[in-house]
Amino acid sequence: MCEEAQSPAEQLADITLKRLVEAGLVADRRLDSIKTKLLSGDAREQDWRIWLLGSRAESEDRKED
């Protein structure tokens, strides 16, 4: 989807998620579900903990393999 067709909230969510992925803080495969929660306003502290800790655990598992 081109940026002109996106709302400011969608643009901000995309920028934020891109940076989180680049920093290795969230997994690519979770982007759609995270973006949905962000845009709906339903993302809570516990969600962020799950996303970040889950990504960290996945990253550590890959290092062990």
Side-chain angles (χ1 to χ4, degrees):
M1 177 178 259
C2 63
E3 289 188 23
E4 293 85 33
Q6 289 184 308
S7 71
E10 290 173 314
Q11 290 177 21
L12 179 60
D14 286 343
I15 291 167
T16 302
L17 291 172
K18 178 182 175 190
R19 291 188 180 165
L20 289 169
V21 168
E22 289 172 351
L25 296 174
V26 296
D28 282 336
R29 65 181 186 79
R30 297 180 186 237
L31 291 181
D32 289 336
S33 63
I34 295 172
K35 184 175 179 179
T36 299
K37 277 221 169 202
L38 289 177
L39 293 174
S40 69
D42 291 333
R44 304 284 183 244
E45 178 183 355
Q46 187 62 29
D47 295 318
W48 284 103
R49 289 179 191 270
I50 290 168
W51 297 330
L52 297 176
L53 293 174
S55 180
R56 184 186 300 168
E58 290 172 11
S59 180
E60 289 175 5
D61 285 346
R62 280 182 290 218
K63 288 179 186 176
E64 291 176 359
D65 290 341

